[in-house]
Amino acid sequence: MQVVDFIAGNGPWAWIVAGLVLLALELIVPGGFLLWMGISGIVTGLIVLVQPIGWPLQWLIFGVLSLISIALWVRWTRGRPAATDRPYLNRRADQFIGQEAVLEQAIQEGFGRIVLGDTVWRVSGADMPAGQRVRIVGNAGAVLKVEAA
Protein backbone atom coordinates (compact mmCIF):
# COMPACT_ATOMS: atom_id res chain seq x y z
CA MET A 1 0.00 0.00 0.00
CA GLN A 2 2.93 2.33 0.62
CA VAL A 3 4.07 1.99 -3.01
CA VAL A 4 0.63 3.00 -4.30
CA ASP A 5 0.54 5.96 -1.91
CA PHE A 6 4.04 6.99 -3.02
CA ILE A 7 3.08 6.82 -6.72
CA ALA A 8 -0.18 8.68 -6.08
CA GLY A 9 1.68 11.40 -4.18
CA ASN A 10 4.40 11.76 -6.81
CA GLY A 11 2.38 11.13 -9.96
CA PRO A 12 4.32 13.24 -12.44
CA TRP A 13 7.67 11.88 -11.28
CA ALA A 14 6.34 8.33 -11.39
CA TRP A 15 5.50 8.82 -15.08
CA ILE A 16 8.88 10.36 -15.81
CA VAL A 17 10.73 7.55 -14.01
CA ALA A 18 8.57 4.93 -15.76
CA GLY A 19 9.38 6.57 -19.09
CA LEU A 20 13.10 6.49 -18.32
CA VAL A 21 12.83 2.81 -17.33
CA LEU A 22 11.11 2.07 -20.66
CA LEU A 23 13.87 3.93 -22.49
CA ALA A 24 16.47 1.87 -20.61
CA LEU A 25 14.61 -1.33 -21.51
CA GLU A 26 14.77 -0.30 -25.17
CA LEU A 27 18.56 -0.55 -24.90
CA ILE A 28 18.28 -4.14 -23.63
CA VAL A 29 15.35 -5.32 -25.77
CA PRO A 30 15.58 -3.36 -29.04
CA GLY A 31 12.52 -3.21 -31.22
CA GLY A 32 11.50 0.43 -31.28
CA PHE A 33 8.17 0.37 -29.54
CA LEU A 34 9.56 0.75 -25.99
CA LEU A 35 11.30 3.94 -27.15
CA TRP A 36 7.98 5.53 -28.07
CA MET A 37 6.25 4.25 -24.94
CA GLY A 38 9.08 5.71 -22.83
CA ILE A 39 8.80 9.07 -24.57
CA SER A 40 5.01 8.95 -24.07
CA GLY A 41 5.53 8.25 -20.35
CA ILE A 42 7.89 11.22 -20.00
CA VAL A 43 5.49 13.51 -21.92
CA THR A 44 2.60 12.32 -19.74
CA GLY A 45 4.67 13.08 -16.64
CA LEU A 46 5.46 16.57 -17.92
CA ILE A 47 1.78 17.21 -18.69
CA VAL A 48 0.76 16.07 -15.18
CA LEU A 49 3.56 18.20 -13.68
CA VAL A 50 2.08 21.30 -15.36
CA GLN A 51 -1.62 20.43 -14.99
CA PRO A 52 -2.60 18.02 -12.19
CA ILE A 53 -5.16 15.52 -13.50
CA GLY A 54 -6.64 12.24 -12.26
CA TRP A 55 -5.15 8.80 -12.84
CA PRO A 56 -7.72 7.60 -15.39
CA LEU A 57 -7.03 10.60 -17.64
CA GLN A 58 -3.27 10.16 -17.16
CA TRP A 59 -3.52 6.55 -18.37
CA LEU A 60 -5.66 7.68 -21.29
CA ILE A 61 -3.08 10.32 -22.28
CA PHE A 62 -0.26 7.77 -21.99
CA GLY A 63 -2.16 5.17 -24.03
CA VAL A 64 -3.16 7.59 -26.78
CA LEU A 65 0.34 9.08 -27.04
CA SER A 66 1.87 5.59 -27.15
CA LEU A 67 -0.49 4.30 -29.83
CA ILE A 68 -0.16 7.39 -32.01
CA SER A 69 3.63 7.54 -31.77
CA ILE A 70 4.06 3.79 -32.42
CA ALA A 71 1.63 3.91 -35.37
CA LEU A 72 3.46 6.87 -36.90
CA TRP A 73 6.82 5.18 -36.37
CA VAL A 74 5.63 1.93 -38.01
CA ARG A 75 4.15 3.83 -40.94
CA TRP A 76 7.33 5.86 -41.42
CA THR A 77 9.70 2.87 -41.23
CA ARG A 78 7.64 0.68 -43.57
CA GLY A 79 7.44 3.45 -46.15
CA ARG A 80 11.23 3.78 -46.40
CA PRO A 81 13.35 1.22 -48.19
CA ALA A 82 16.32 0.00 -46.21
CA ALA A 83 19.53 1.76 -47.22
CA THR A 84 22.16 -0.67 -48.45
CA ASP A 85 25.50 -0.59 -50.17
CA ARG A 86 24.55 -3.73 -52.14
CA PRO A 87 21.09 -3.21 -53.63
CA TYR A 88 21.42 -6.24 -55.96
CA LEU A 89 22.77 -8.68 -53.36
CA ASN A 90 20.10 -11.35 -53.81
CA ARG A 91 18.95 -10.12 -57.23
CA ARG A 92 22.04 -10.54 -59.40
CA ALA A 93 20.10 -10.67 -62.67
CA ASP A 94 18.55 -7.23 -62.05
CA GLN A 95 21.95 -5.53 -62.22
CA PHE A 96 22.33 -6.50 -65.89
CA ILE A 97 19.10 -4.89 -67.15
CA GLY A 98 19.96 -2.33 -69.82
CA GLN A 99 23.38 -3.77 -70.59
CA GLU A 100 24.38 -5.14 -73.98
CA ALA A 101 26.19 -8.43 -74.65
CA VAL A 102 27.02 -10.81 -77.48
CA LEU A 103 25.23 -14.17 -77.76
CA GLU A 104 27.61 -16.99 -76.96
CA GLN A 105 25.12 -19.64 -78.04
CA ALA A 106 22.35 -18.95 -80.57
CA ILE A 107 18.82 -18.50 -79.30
CA GLN A 108 16.89 -21.48 -80.66
CA GLU A 109 13.35 -22.34 -79.61
CA GLY A 110 13.42 -19.31 -77.31
CA PHE A 111 16.60 -20.00 -75.31
CA GLY A 112 20.33 -19.36 -75.67
CA ARG A 113 23.37 -18.31 -73.62
CA ILE A 114 25.52 -15.23 -73.06
CA VAL A 115 28.64 -14.61 -71.00
CA LEU A 116 28.64 -11.71 -68.53
CA GLY A 117 31.82 -11.35 -66.52
CA ASP A 118 32.78 -14.85 -65.40
CA THR A 119 29.25 -16.28 -65.56
CA VAL A 120 27.32 -17.94 -68.35
CA TRP A 121 23.68 -16.86 -68.31
CA ARG A 122 20.68 -18.50 -69.94
CA VAL A 123 18.70 -16.03 -72.03
CA SER A 124 15.27 -16.03 -73.61
CA GLY A 125 13.96 -14.11 -76.58
CA ALA A 126 13.34 -14.31 -80.29
CA ASP A 127 15.54 -16.75 -82.24
CA MET A 128 18.90 -15.13 -83.13
CA PRO A 129 22.28 -16.46 -84.33
CA ALA A 130 25.39 -16.73 -82.14
CA GLY A 131 27.45 -13.53 -82.21
CA GLN A 132 24.33 -11.30 -82.37
CA ARG A 133 24.49 -8.22 -80.11
CA VAL A 134 21.56 -8.22 -77.63
CA ARG A 135 20.24 -5.88 -74.94
CA ILE A 136 19.01 -7.29 -71.63
CA VAL A 137 15.49 -6.01 -70.98
CA GLY A 138 14.38 -8.05 -67.99
CA ASN A 139 14.64 -11.34 -66.19
CA ALA A 140 12.54 -14.26 -65.03
CA GLY A 141 14.47 -15.67 -62.10
CA ALA A 142 17.90 -16.65 -63.42
CA VAL A 143 16.89 -16.38 -67.09
CA LEU A 144 17.65 -13.03 -68.73
CA LYS A 145 15.18 -11.70 -71.30
CA VAL A 146 16.88 -10.14 -74.31
CA GLU A 147 16.09 -8.37 -77.56
CA ALA A 148 18.26 -7.52 -80.54
CA ALA A 149 20.37 -4.42 -79.94
Side-chain angles (χ1 to χ4, degrees), residues 10-22 38 41-46 49:
N10 301 303
W13 296 108
W15 281 111
I16 293 171
V17 169
L20 292 172
V21 168
L22 287 169
I42 292 171
V43 169
T44 302
L46 293 174
L49 197 60

Side-chain angles (χ1 to χ4, degrees), residues 105-124:
Q105 178 185 1
I107 299 179
Q108 296 175 348
E109 298 179 12
F111 294 99
R113 297 197 187 282
I114 62 173
V115 175
L116 293 170
D118 61 349
T119 307
V120 177
W121 289 84
R122 189 170 188 206
V123 295
S124 68

Side-chain angles (χ1 to χ4, degrees), residues 42-67:
I42 292 171
V43 169
T44 302
L46 293 174
I47 291 171
V48 174
L49 197 60
V50 172
Q51 177 65 42
I53 52 179
W55 277 98
L57 188 55
Q58 292 177 28
W59 280 102
L60 180 67
I61 291 170
F62 173 72
V64 169
L65 286 174
S66 295
L67 289 175

Side-chain angles (χ1 to χ4, degrees), residues 19-40:
L20 292 172
V21 168
L22 287 169
L23 290 176
L25 283 173
E26 177 64 33
L27 295 173
I28 298 168
V29 187
F33 69 95
L34 289 177
L35 169 73
W36 301 108
M37 291 179 69
I39 291 171
S40 298

Side-chain angles (χ1 to χ4, degrees), residues 93 95-107 112-124 126 128-138 144-149:
Q95 68 184 338
F96 298 120
I97 294 175
Q99 289 186 13
E100 292 185 4
V102 177
L103 281 175
E104 186 74 20
Q105 178 185 1
I107 299 179
R113 297 197 187 282
I114 62 173
V115 175
L116 293 170
D118 61 349
T119 307
V120 177
W121 289 84
R122 189 170 188 206
V123 295
S124 68
M128 291 180 244
Q132 171 77 36
R133 190 147 190 83
V134 293
R135 180 178 300 110
I136 301 164
V137 294
L144 301 175
K145 296 179 182 180
V146 297
E147 63 183 22

